[in-house]
Amino acid sequence: MTTLLWMTIDRHPESLKTLIRERLNSAGFDVLEASYDALDAVAGMPLESVDAVLMAPARYFPSEYMDRLTNCTLIQIWSSGYDKFNIDDARERKIPVANNHGANAVSVAEHAILMMLGVSRRIPEMHERVITGNWAGNDHGMSSYSLNGKTLGIVGLGNIGRLVATRAEALGMAIRFVDPNVKVSPQGSWVSSDFETLLGIADYLSFHVHLTDATRGMVNMGNIRKLEGQPFLINVSRAELIDYEALLFALDNQLVKGVAIDAHYEEPTRPDDRLFSFPNVLVSPHVAGSTVDSYYDTIDACILNITRAVAGEEAHGLLRH
């Protein structure tokens, strides 16, 4: 029987933990369940017998515990992002690491479109006006915008970026993208660009890249004034792709029409964060990839990948560098 160490966090709802637990048990795994919020408990577990680790989500995992994973064939991350995990420690110990390889990409792409529409049409404000009966001051759409006919700049044309592009194009948007790994446009109507040019021409900028040293602060005080078209910024990837102070500067100086963010600079967030004081900022609590459907797809993909690795086959989605 495969012994699996499953790392979770306390704030995940019990309904989600039950779903994961049932799928893992149905797959026949001997599951060791632990929380990042009580890492000391992991020390007493038989880590030497662990065949694979499921990180749901990926967080820092002490290197002294990794030293004991002598039988581990794979650390499987159930999300696409892995910036909070000390992956270099795993690589030093030659433990393969894989992400979910796009298992929740549809959910994230749908959420990006949702955020575009929500911030463009001021949905939270309109909802509040209706349920409070406060219709005074309603500007009758004079601060709302349509997606049709607008240019969407996509930063990162991977699994999620392509799904966003397909859906946005169906809504009448023109697609421009930047991705150094995409040499030929996958669609004739999608036009490749460089990042600096994209900042100046896009009506919407949607970010779909991993957070790395190279991408951290890719929008910053050095280039924020290049947002000549007053675009909407849509970030369902990692907040730190956009420098926090630069983002506040853009909002203070009306360099953007609006901002929509799913993953945040601090999690949990602080109610006094000045970012939340702007009426043209739309936020969600890091749930872009989270739906009942995507959870089933994600956990089943993780189970399949773990089974593949334990059987001696190469796992999908390996993070090689």
Side-chain angles (χ1 to χ4, degrees), residues 258-292:
V259 175
I261 300 176
D262 178 60
H264 299 273
Y265 297 93
E266 287 185 54
E267 294 184 3
T269 49
R270 292 181 293 103
D272 62 348
D273 189 327
R274 197 163 78 83
L275 186 61
F276 305 148
S277 67
F278 295 92
N280 56 340
V281 171
L282 175 65
V283 292
S284 57
H286 203 155
V287 292
S290 304
T291 66
V292 172

PDB file of all heavy atoms in Angstrom, residues 258-292:
ATOM      1  N   GLY A 258      -9.426  50.427 -13.183  1.00  0.00           N
ATOM      2  CA  GLY A 258      -9.832  49.546 -12.102  1.00  0.00           C
ATOM      3  C   GLY A 258      -8.832  48.423 -11.918  1.00  0.00           C
ATOM      4  O   GLY A 258      -7.966  48.188 -12.772  1.00  0.00           O
ATOM      5  N   VAL A 259      -8.954  47.740 -10.792  1.00  0.00           N
ATOM      6  CA  VAL A 259      -8.047  46.647 -10.443  1.00  0.00           C
ATOM      7  C   VAL A 259      -8.873  45.506  -9.861  1.00  0.00           C
ATOM      8  O   VAL A 259      -9.779  45.742  -9.050  1.00  0.00           O
ATOM      9  CB  VAL A 259      -6.995  47.103  -9.403  1.00  0.00           C
ATOM     10  CG1 VAL A 259      -6.141  45.927  -8.949  1.00  0.00           C
ATOM     11  CG2 VAL A 259      -6.127  48.221  -9.970  1.00  0.00           C
ATOM     12  N   ALA A 260      -8.567  44.280 -10.277  1.00  0.00           N
ATOM     13  CA  ALA A 260      -9.212  43.095  -9.714  1.00  0.00           C
ATOM     14  C   ALA A 260      -8.129  42.119  -9.282  1.00  0.00           C
ATOM     15  O   ALA A 260      -7.243  41.781 -10.070  1.00  0.00           O
ATOM     16  CB  ALA A 260     -10.140  42.445 -10.738  1.00  0.00           C
ATOM     17  N   ILE A 261      -8.190  41.689  -8.026  1.00  0.00           N
ATOM     18  CA  ILE A 261      -7.140  40.842  -7.449  1.00  0.00           C
ATOM     19  C   ILE A 261      -7.771  39.662  -6.720  1.00  0.00           C
ATOM     20  O   ILE A 261      -8.737  39.823  -5.971  1.00  0.00           O
ATOM     21  CB  ILE A 261      -6.275  41.642  -6.452  1.00  0.00           C
ATOM     22  CG1 ILE A 261      -5.606  42.833  -7.147  1.00  0.00           C
ATOM     23  CG2 ILE A 261      -5.215  40.753  -5.820  1.00  0.00           C
ATOM     24  CD1 ILE A 261      -4.827  43.717  -6.190  1.00  0.00           C
ATOM     25  N   ASP A 262      -7.191  38.484  -6.932  1.00  0.00           N
ATOM     26  CA  ASP A 262      -7.656  37.292  -6.217  1.00  0.00           C
ATOM     27  C   ASP A 262      -6.659  36.848  -5.148  1.00  0.00           C
ATOM     28  O   ASP A 262      -7.051  36.496  -4.043  1.00  0.00           O
ATOM     29  CB  ASP A 262      -7.904  36.146  -7.202  1.00  0.00           C
ATOM     30  CG  ASP A 262      -8.353  34.875  -6.498  1.00  0.00           C
ATOM     31  OD1 ASP A 262      -9.408  34.918  -5.830  1.00  0.00           O
ATOM     32  OD2 ASP A 262      -7.653  33.851  -6.593  1.00  0.00           O
ATOM     33  N   ALA A 263      -5.365  36.830  -5.461  1.00  0.00           N
ATOM     34  CA  ALA A 263      -4.337  36.470  -4.476  1.00  0.00           C
ATOM     35  C   ALA A 263      -3.724  37.760  -3.937  1.00  0.00           C
ATOM     36  O   ALA A 263      -3.483  38.697  -4.694  1.00  0.00           O
ATOM     37  CB  ALA A 263      -3.268  35.593  -5.119  1.00  0.00           C
ATOM     38  N   HIS A 264      -3.451  37.807  -2.634  1.00  0.00           N
ATOM     39  CA  HIS A 264      -3.181  39.079  -1.979  1.00  0.00           C
ATOM     40  C   HIS A 264      -1.776  39.172  -1.396  1.00  0.00           C
ATOM     41  O   HIS A 264      -1.088  38.173  -1.209  1.00  0.00           O
ATOM     42  CB  HIS A 264      -4.235  39.322  -0.903  1.00  0.00           C
ATOM     43  CG  HIS A 264      -5.617  39.404  -1.482  1.00  0.00           C
ATOM     44  ND1 HIS A 264      -6.149  40.575  -1.963  1.00  0.00           N
ATOM     45  CD2 HIS A 264      -6.543  38.442  -1.716  1.00  0.00           C
ATOM     46  CE1 HIS A 264      -7.362  40.338  -2.451  1.00  0.00           C
ATOM     47  NE2 HIS A 264      -7.614  39.052  -2.317  1.00  0.00           N
ATOM     48  N   TYR A 265      -1.388  40.424  -1.103  1.00  0.00           N
ATOM     49  CA  TYR A 265      -0.058  40.698  -0.564  1.00  0.00           C
ATOM     50  C   TYR A 265       0.090  40.124   0.842  1.00  0.00           C
ATOM     51  O   TYR A 265       1.180  39.716   1.238  1.00  0.00           O
ATOM     52  CB  TYR A 265       0.204  42.208  -0.558  1.00  0.00           C
ATOM     53  CG  TYR A 265       0.207  42.806  -1.941  1.00  0.00           C
ATOM     54  CD1 TYR A 265      -0.951  43.357  -2.496  1.00  0.00           C
ATOM     55  CD2 TYR A 265       1.364  42.794  -2.719  1.00  0.00           C
ATOM     56  CE1 TYR A 265      -0.951  43.893  -3.768  1.00  0.00           C
ATOM     57  CE2 TYR A 265       1.372  43.326  -4.000  1.00  0.00           C
ATOM     58  CZ  TYR A 265       0.209  43.872  -4.524  1.00  0.00           C
ATOM     59  OH  TYR A 265       0.205  44.387  -5.804  1.00  0.00           O
ATOM     60  N   GLU A 266      -0.985  40.113   1.598  1.00  0.00           N
ATOM     61  CA  GLU A 266      -1.033  39.448   2.901  1.00  0.00           C
ATOM     62  C   GLU A 266      -2.271  38.566   2.923  1.00  0.00           C
ATOM     63  O   GLU A 266      -3.348  38.997   2.523  1.00  0.00           O
ATOM     64  CB  GLU A 266      -1.138  40.466   4.041  1.00  0.00           C
ATOM     65  CG  GLU A 266       0.114  41.245   4.330  1.00  0.00           C
ATOM     66  CD  GLU A 266      -0.061  42.128   5.559  1.00  0.00           C
ATOM     67  OE1 GLU A 266      -0.446  41.595   6.626  1.00  0.00           O
ATOM     68  OE2 GLU A 266       0.175  43.341   5.445  1.00  0.00           O
ATOM     69  N   GLU A 267      -2.111  37.349   3.396  1.00  0.00           N
ATOM     70  CA  GLU A 267      -3.249  36.442   3.537  1.00  0.00           C
ATOM     71  C   GLU A 267      -3.188  35.771   4.906  1.00  0.00           C
ATOM     72  O   GLU A 267      -2.171  35.157   5.233  1.00  0.00           O
ATOM     73  CB  GLU A 267      -3.240  35.390   2.416  1.00  0.00           C
ATOM     74  CG  GLU A 267      -3.465  35.983   1.036  1.00  0.00           C
ATOM     75  CD  GLU A 267      -3.555  34.934  -0.067  1.00  0.00           C
ATOM     76  OE1 GLU A 267      -3.497  33.726   0.250  1.00  0.00           O
ATOM     77  OE2 GLU A 267      -3.696  35.317  -1.234  1.00  0.00           O
ATOM     78  N   PRO A 268      -4.248  35.880   5.710  1.00  0.00           N
ATOM     79  CA  PRO A 268      -5.472  36.646   5.465  1.00  0.00           C
ATOM     80  C   PRO A 268      -5.188  38.148   5.335  1.00  0.00           C
ATOM     81  O   PRO A 268      -4.173  38.642   5.820  1.00  0.00           O
ATOM     82  CB  PRO A 268      -6.332  36.358   6.699  1.00  0.00           C
ATOM     83  CG  PRO A 268      -5.767  35.106   7.289  1.00  0.00           C
ATOM     84  CD  PRO A 268      -4.308  35.156   6.988  1.00  0.00           C
ATOM     85  N   THR A 269      -6.117  38.833   4.710  1.00  0.00           N
ATOM     86  CA  THR A 269      -5.970  40.264   4.466  1.00  0.00           C
ATOM     87  C   THR A 269      -6.281  41.074   5.722  1.00  0.00           C
ATOM     88  O   THR A 269      -6.892  40.577   6.671  1.00  0.00           O
ATOM     89  CB  THR A 269      -6.920  40.704   3.344  1.00  0.00           C
ATOM     90  OG1 THR A 269      -8.227  40.196   3.623  1.00  0.00           O
ATOM     91  CG2 THR A 269      -6.459  40.165   2.002  1.00  0.00           C
ATOM     92  N   ARG A 270      -5.861  42.348   5.696  1.00  0.00           N
ATOM     93  CA  ARG A 270      -6.159  43.278   6.787  1.00  0.00           C
ATOM     94  C   ARG A 270      -7.249  44.247   6.327  1.00  0.00           C
ATOM     95  O   ARG A 270      -7.139  44.840   5.251  1.00  0.00           O
ATOM     96  CB  ARG A 270      -4.912  44.069   7.172  1.00  0.00           C
ATOM     97  CG  ARG A 270      -3.806  43.261   7.820  1.00  0.00           C
ATOM     98  CD  ARG A 270      -2.624  44.150   8.193  1.00  0.00           C
ATOM     99  NE  ARG A 270      -1.948  44.698   7.019  1.00  0.00           N
ATOM    100  CZ  ARG A 270      -2.078  45.940   6.579  1.00  0.00           C
ATOM    101  NH1 ARG A 270      -2.894  46.786   7.205  1.00  0.00           N
ATOM    102  NH2 ARG A 270      -1.427  46.361   5.519  1.00  0.00           N
ATOM    103  N   PRO A 271      -8.292  44.436   7.118  1.00  0.00           N
ATOM    104  CA  PRO A 271      -9.374  45.348   6.710  1.00  0.00           C
ATOM    105  C   PRO A 271      -8.906  46.780   6.471  1.00  0.00           C
ATOM    106  O   PRO A 271      -9.539  47.512   5.710  1.00  0.00           O
ATOM    107  CB  PRO A 271     -10.349  45.284   7.897  1.00  0.00           C
ATOM    108  CG  PRO A 271     -10.060  43.988   8.562  1.00  0.00           C
ATOM    109  CD  PRO A 271      -8.590  43.753   8.388  1.00  0.00           C
ATOM    110  N   ASP A 272      -7.795  47.188   7.120  1.00  0.00           N
ATOM    111  CA  ASP A 272      -7.321  48.562   6.967  1.00  0.00           C
ATOM    112  C   ASP A 272      -6.355  48.729   5.795  1.00  0.00           C
ATOM    113  O   ASP A 272      -5.756  49.795   5.631  1.00  0.00           O
ATOM    114  CB  ASP A 272      -6.662  49.050   8.258  1.00  0.00           C
ATOM    115  CG  ASP A 272      -5.423  48.230   8.638  1.00  0.00           C
ATOM    116  OD1 ASP A 272      -5.205  47.156   8.033  1.00  0.00           O
ATOM    117  OD2 ASP A 272      -4.680  48.664   9.538  1.00  0.00           O
ATOM    118  N   ASP A 273      -6.192  47.710   4.974  1.00  0.00           N
ATOM    119  CA  ASP A 273      -5.336  47.826   3.793  1.00  0.00           C
ATOM    120  C   ASP A 273      -5.898  48.925   2.889  1.00  0.00           C
ATOM    121  O   ASP A 273      -7.063  48.883   2.486  1.00  0.00           O
ATOM    122  CB  ASP A 273      -5.312  46.494   3.040  1.00  0.00           C
ATOM    123  CG  ASP A 273      -4.268  46.456   1.928  1.00  0.00           C
ATOM    124  OD1 ASP A 273      -3.999  47.507   1.316  1.00  0.00           O
ATOM    125  OD2 ASP A 273      -3.737  45.362   1.665  1.00  0.00           O
ATOM    126  N   ARG A 274      -5.076  49.916   2.571  1.00  0.00           N
ATOM    127  CA  ARG A 274      -5.558  51.065   1.795  1.00  0.00           C
ATOM    128  C   ARG A 274      -6.036  50.666   0.409  1.00  0.00           C
ATOM    129  O   ARG A 274      -6.867  51.361  -0.204  1.00  0.00           O
ATOM    130  CB  ARG A 274      -4.458  52.133   1.688  1.00  0.00           C
ATOM    131  CG  ARG A 274      -5.006  53.501   1.270  1.00  0.00           C
ATOM    132  CD  ARG A 274      -4.016  54.598   1.580  1.00  0.00           C
ATOM    133  NE  ARG A 274      -2.942  54.673   0.622  1.00  0.00           N
ATOM    134  CZ  ARG A 274      -3.031  55.317  -0.547  1.00  0.00           C
ATOM    135  NH1 ARG A 274      -4.154  55.917  -0.907  1.00  0.00           N
ATOM    136  NH2 ARG A 274      -1.994  55.361  -1.353  1.00  0.00           N
ATOM    137  N   LEU A 275      -5.547  49.554  -0.081  1.00  0.00           N
ATOM    138  CA  LEU A 275      -5.967  49.079  -1.402  1.00  0.00           C
ATOM    139  C   LEU A 275      -7.481  48.892  -1.461  1.00  0.00           C
ATOM    140  O   LEU A 275      -8.111  49.114  -2.497  1.00  0.00           O
ATOM    141  CB  LEU A 275      -5.256  47.760  -1.712  1.00  0.00           C
ATOM    142  CG  LEU A 275      -5.445  47.148  -3.094  1.00  0.00           C
ATOM    143  CD1 LEU A 275      -4.948  48.083  -4.183  1.00  0.00           C
ATOM    144  CD2 LEU A 275      -4.724  45.812  -3.174  1.00  0.00           C
ATOM    145  N   PHE A 276      -8.073  48.504  -0.332  1.00  0.00           N
ATOM    146  CA  PHE A 276      -9.500  48.197  -0.314  1.00  0.00           C
ATOM    147  C   PHE A 276     -10.377  49.441  -0.173  1.00  0.00           C
ATOM    148  O   PHE A 276     -11.603  49.331  -0.150  1.00  0.00           O
ATOM    149  CB  PHE A 276      -9.814  47.223   0.824  1.00  0.00           C
ATOM    150  CG  PHE A 276      -8.990  45.961   0.790  1.00  0.00           C
ATOM    151  CD1 PHE A 276      -8.637  45.313   1.969  1.00  0.00           C
ATOM    152  CD2 PHE A 276      -8.549  45.426  -0.410  1.00  0.00           C
ATOM    153  CE1 PHE A 276      -7.872  44.157   1.946  1.00  0.00           C
ATOM    154  CE2 PHE A 276      -7.784  44.271  -0.447  1.00  0.00           C
ATOM    155  CZ  PHE A 276      -7.442  43.639   0.736  1.00  0.00           C
ATOM    156  N   SER A 277      -9.760  50.609  -0.086  1.00  0.00           N
ATOM    157  CA  SER A 277     -10.533  51.846   0.068  1.00  0.00           C
ATOM    158  C   SER A 277     -10.967  52.433  -1.271  1.00  0.00           C
ATOM    159  O   SER A 277     -11.778  53.362  -1.302  1.00  0.00           O
ATOM    160  CB  SER A 277      -9.704  52.888   0.836  1.00  0.00           C
ATOM    161  OG  SER A 277      -8.576  53.318   0.065  1.00  0.00           O
ATOM    162  N   PHE A 278     -10.451  51.886  -2.368  1.00  0.00           N
ATOM    163  CA  PHE A 278     -10.784  52.421  -3.687  1.00  0.00           C
ATOM    164  C   PHE A 278     -12.051  51.753  -4.221  1.00  0.00           C
ATOM    165  O   PHE A 278     -12.161  50.518  -4.212  1.00  0.00           O
ATOM    166  CB  PHE A 278      -9.631  52.185  -4.663  1.00  0.00           C
ATOM    167  CG  PHE A 278      -8.373  52.932  -4.318  1.00  0.00           C
ATOM    168  CD1 PHE A 278      -7.396  52.347  -3.527  1.00  0.00           C
ATOM    169  CD2 PHE A 278      -8.169  54.226  -4.784  1.00  0.00           C
ATOM    170  CE1 PHE A 278      -6.232  53.024  -3.203  1.00  0.00           C
ATOM    171  CE2 PHE A 278      -7.007  54.919  -4.468  1.00  0.00           C
ATOM    172  CZ  PHE A 278      -6.037  54.317  -3.671  1.00  0.00           C
ATOM    173  N   PRO A 279     -13.005  52.544  -4.726  1.00  0.00           N
ATOM    174  CA  PRO A 279     -14.257  51.958  -5.222  1.00  0.00           C
ATOM    175  C   PRO A 279     -14.088  51.154  -6.503  1.00  0.00           C
ATOM    176  O   PRO A 279     -14.970  50.356  -6.845  1.00  0.00           O
ATOM    177  CB  PRO A 279     -15.147  53.185  -5.461  1.00  0.00           C
ATOM    178  CG  PRO A 279     -14.187  54.311  -5.701  1.00  0.00           C
ATOM    179  CD  PRO A 279     -13.009  54.021  -4.821  1.00  0.00           C
ATOM    180  N   ASN A 280     -12.978  51.343  -7.202  1.00  0.00           N
ATOM    181  CA  ASN A 280     -12.753  50.618  -8.452  1.00  0.00           C
ATOM    182  C   ASN A 280     -11.788  49.447  -8.274  1.00  0.00           C
ATOM    183  O   ASN A 280     -11.141  49.010  -9.224  1.00  0.00           O
ATOM    184  CB  ASN A 280     -12.236  51.563  -9.540  1.00  0.00           C
ATOM    185  CG  ASN A 280     -10.977  52.317  -9.132  1.00  0.00           C
ATOM    186  OD1 ASN A 280     -10.677  52.438  -7.946  1.00  0.00           O
ATOM    187  ND2 ASN A 280     -10.251  52.842 -10.107  1.00  0.00           N
ATOM    188  N   VAL A 281     -11.704  48.935  -7.050  1.00  0.00           N
ATOM    189  CA  VAL A 281     -10.918  47.733  -6.764  1.00  0.00           C
ATOM    190  C   VAL A 281     -11.874  46.608  -6.381  1.00  0.00           C
ATOM    191  O   VAL A 281     -12.702  46.757  -5.481  1.00  0.00           O
ATOM    192  CB  VAL A 281      -9.902  47.978  -5.628  1.00  0.00           C
ATOM    193  CG1 VAL A 281      -9.256  46.661  -5.191  1.00  0.00           C
ATOM    194  CG2 VAL A 281      -8.826  48.955  -6.088  1.00  0.00           C
ATOM    195  N   LEU A 282     -11.755  45.495  -7.088  1.00  0.00           N
ATOM    196  CA  LEU A 282     -12.574  44.308  -6.833  1.00  0.00           C
ATOM    197  C   LEU A 282     -11.657  43.188  -6.355  1.00  0.00           C
ATOM    198  O   LEU A 282     -10.613  42.936  -6.967  1.00  0.00           O
ATOM    199  CB  LEU A 282     -13.294  43.882  -8.118  1.00  0.00           C
ATOM    200  CG  LEU A 282     -14.112  42.587  -8.067  1.00  0.00           C
ATOM    201  CD1 LEU A 282     -15.290  42.730  -7.109  1.00  0.00           C
ATOM    202  CD2 LEU A 282     -14.600  42.217  -9.466  1.00  0.00           C
ATOM    203  N   VAL A 283     -12.029  42.528  -5.270  1.00  0.00           N
ATOM    204  CA  VAL A 283     -11.167  41.488  -4.703  1.00  0.00           C
ATOM    205  C   VAL A 283     -11.971  40.226  -4.415  1.00  0.00           C
ATOM    206  O   VAL A 283     -13.184  40.264  -4.210  1.00  0.00           O
ATOM    207  CB  VAL A 283     -10.487  41.969  -3.400  1.00  0.00           C
ATOM    208  CG1 VAL A 283      -9.483  43.064  -3.690  1.00  0.00           C
ATOM    209  CG2 VAL A 283     -11.518  42.451  -2.385  1.00  0.00           C
ATOM    210  N   SER A 284     -11.261  39.100  -4.417  1.00  0.00           N
ATOM    211  CA  SER A 284     -11.827  37.826  -3.977  1.00  0.00           C
ATOM    212  C   SER A 284     -10.760  37.122  -3.140  1.00  0.00           C
ATOM    213  O   SER A 284      -9.567  37.410  -3.273  1.00  0.00           O
ATOM    214  CB  SER A 284     -12.269  36.967  -5.173  1.00  0.00           C
ATOM    215  OG  SER A 284     -11.194  36.738  -6.073  1.00  0.00           O
ATOM    216  N   PRO A 285     -11.152  36.199  -2.262  1.00  0.00           N
ATOM    217  CA  PRO A 285     -10.232  35.644  -1.258  1.00  0.00           C
ATOM    218  C   PRO A 285      -9.416  34.445  -1.733  1.00  0.00           C
ATOM    219  O   PRO A 285      -9.472  33.367  -1.135  1.00  0.00           O
ATOM    220  CB  PRO A 285     -11.168  35.276  -0.109  1.00  0.00           C
ATOM    221  CG  PRO A 285     -12.434  34.887  -0.790  1.00  0.00           C
ATOM    222  CD  PRO A 285     -12.547  35.790  -1.990  1.00  0.00           C
ATOM    223  N   HIS A 286      -8.640  34.625  -2.800  1.00  0.00           N
ATOM    224  CA  HIS A 286      -7.749  33.584  -3.330  1.00  0.00           C
ATOM    225  C   HIS A 286      -8.526  32.295  -3.622  1.00  0.00           C
ATOM    226  O   HIS A 286      -8.195  31.211  -3.140  1.00  0.00           O
ATOM    227  CB  HIS A 286      -6.606  33.298  -2.348  1.00  0.00           C
ATOM    228  CG  HIS A 286      -5.403  32.700  -3.018  1.00  0.00           C
ATOM    229  ND1 HIS A 286      -4.128  32.814  -2.514  1.00  0.00           N
ATOM    230  CD2 HIS A 286      -5.282  31.966  -4.162  1.00  0.00           C
ATOM    231  CE1 HIS A 286      -3.275  32.181  -3.300  1.00  0.00           C
ATOM    232  NE2 HIS A 286      -3.954  31.660  -4.310  1.00  0.00           N
ATOM    233  N   VAL A 287      -9.551  32.445  -4.453  1.00  0.00           N
ATOM    234  CA  VAL A 287     -10.419  31.303  -4.769  1.00  0.00           C
ATOM    235  C   VAL A 287     -10.583  31.102  -6.275  1.00  0.00           C
ATOM    236  O   VAL A 287     -11.499  30.397  -6.707  1.00  0.00           O
ATOM    237  CB  VAL A 287     -11.813  31.471  -4.117  1.00  0.00           C
ATOM    238  CG1 VAL A 287     -11.722  31.374  -2.606  1.00  0.00           C
ATOM    239  CG2 VAL A 287     -12.465  32.793  -4.547  1.00  0.00           C
ATOM    240  N   ALA A 288      -9.703  31.701  -7.076  1.00  0.00           N
ATOM    241  CA  ALA A 288      -9.869  31.601  -8.531  1.00  0.00           C
ATOM    242  C   ALA A 288      -9.913  30.154  -9.003  1.00  0.00           C
ATOM    243  O   ALA A 288     -10.670  29.803  -9.906  1.00  0.00           O
ATOM    244  CB  ALA A 288      -8.748  32.355  -9.247  1.00  0.00           C
ATOM    245  N   GLY A 289      -9.109  29.309  -8.399  1.00  0.00           N
ATOM    246  CA  GLY A 289      -9.069  27.909  -8.821  1.00  0.00           C
ATOM    247  C   GLY A 289      -9.990  27.007  -8.033  1.00  0.00           C
ATOM    248  O   GLY A 289      -9.909  25.780  -8.155  1.00  0.00           O
ATOM    249  N   SER A 290     -10.878  27.597  -7.246  1.00  0.00           N
ATOM    250  CA  SER A 290     -11.648  26.814  -6.276  1.00  0.00           C
ATOM    251  C   SER A 290     -13.123  26.731  -6.635  1.00  0.00           C
ATOM    252  O   SER A 290     -13.876  27.692  -6.440  1.00  0.00           O
ATOM    253  CB  SER A 290     -11.497  27.439  -4.877  1.00  0.00           C
ATOM    254  OG  SER A 290     -10.141  27.534  -4.511  1.00  0.00           O
ATOM    255  N   THR A 291     -13.520  25.600  -7.179  1.00  0.00           N
ATOM    256  CA  THR A 291     -14.926  25.250  -7.343  1.00  0.00           C
ATOM    257  C   THR A 291     -15.053  23.771  -6.999  1.00  0.00           C
ATOM    258  O   THR A 291     -14.052  23.046  -6.969  1.00  0.00           O
ATOM    259  CB  THR A 291     -15.427  25.475  -8.787  1.00  0.00           C
ATOM    260  OG1 THR A 291     -14.757  24.551  -9.665  1.00  0.00           O
ATOM    261  CG2 THR A 291     -15.170  26.904  -9.255  1.00  0.00           C
ATOM    262  N   VAL A 292     -16.260  23.328  -6.747  1.00  0.00           N
ATOM    263  CA  VAL A 292     -16.464  21.904  -6.473  1.00  0.00           C
ATOM    264  C   VAL A 292     -15.916  21.071  -7.628  1.00  0.00           C
ATOM    265  O   VAL A 292     -15.222  20.061  -7.430  1.00  0.00           O
ATOM    266  CB  VAL A 292     -17.962  21.603  -6.246  1.00  0.00           C
ATOM    267  CG1 VAL A 292     -18.198  20.096  -6.155  1.00  0.00           C
ATOM    268  CG2 VAL A 292     -18.457  22.296  -4.982  1.00  0.00           C
TER     269      VAL A 292
END
